[in-house]
Amino acid sequence: PREDVTAKVYTINIQKRTHRQTFKKKAPRAIREIKKFAQKTMGTKDVRIDAALNGFIWSKGIRNVPNRVRVKISRKRNEDEEAKESLYSVVEYKPVDSFKG
């Protein structure tokens, strides 16, 4: 894996990742997809989602998940010596007025 500490802002289209999903699985699925996206972009197995992002995904209930979300994904060094992975990713919510432009 990569060995540098970095942060980047992304817009994740949740709509396309939860399309044709059962209502009662939409929000949990969205959280899993965000984790998967972070794993792919940052190359870390350990992905942590902050409470604000979790709250935003669940804000309209389990079925009416927001269409898009702007997130800041930071790759950080693991302080815990016993950890399997030397790096982990933190996904934070970045509020934004519009996704246009």
Side-chain angles (χ1 to χ4, degrees):
R2 304 176 180 109
E3 276 301 315
D4 55 336
V5 174
T6 180
K8 208 166 176 206
V9 175
Y10 296 94
T11 299
I12 303 177
N13 185 344
I14 302 171
Q15 195 174 10
K16 74 173 188 184
R17 291 173 168 87
T18 59
H19 181 61
R20 299 190 66 175
Q21 206 54 234
T22 310
F23 271 158
K24 293 292 182 182
K25 294 183 181 172
K26 279 207 174 200
R29 173 64 176 237
I31 297 289
R32 280 200 305 275
E33 289 291 335
I34 290 170
K35 281 190 163 187
K36 198 166 105 181
F37 178 86
Q39 281 179 1
K40 198 174 124 197
T41 53
M42 287 298 177
T44 59
K45 282 254 171 33
D46 186 358
V47 175
R48 302 169 195 184
I49 290 184
D50 85 326
L53 176 58
N54 191 51
F56 175 72
I57 298 297
W58 285 85
S59 62
K60 292 169 20 179
I62 196 166
R63 357 187 279 189
N64 300 314
V65 177
N67 290 339
R68 285 183 177 78
V69 61
R70 183 77 46 89
V71 295
K72 178 181 168 198
I73 307 179
S74 330
R75 195 164 46 215
K76 298 183 175 180
R77 207 164 290 298
N78 215 334
E79 302 301 327
D80 182 22
E81 293 302 317
E82 296 89 58
K84 290 190 195 80
E85 306 282 322
S86 61
L87 296 166
Y88 67 94
S89 300
V90 177
V91 187
E92 294 166 294
Y93 173 52
K94 287 290 223 201
V96 63
D97 294 330
S98 162
F99 292 101
K100 306 278 188 242

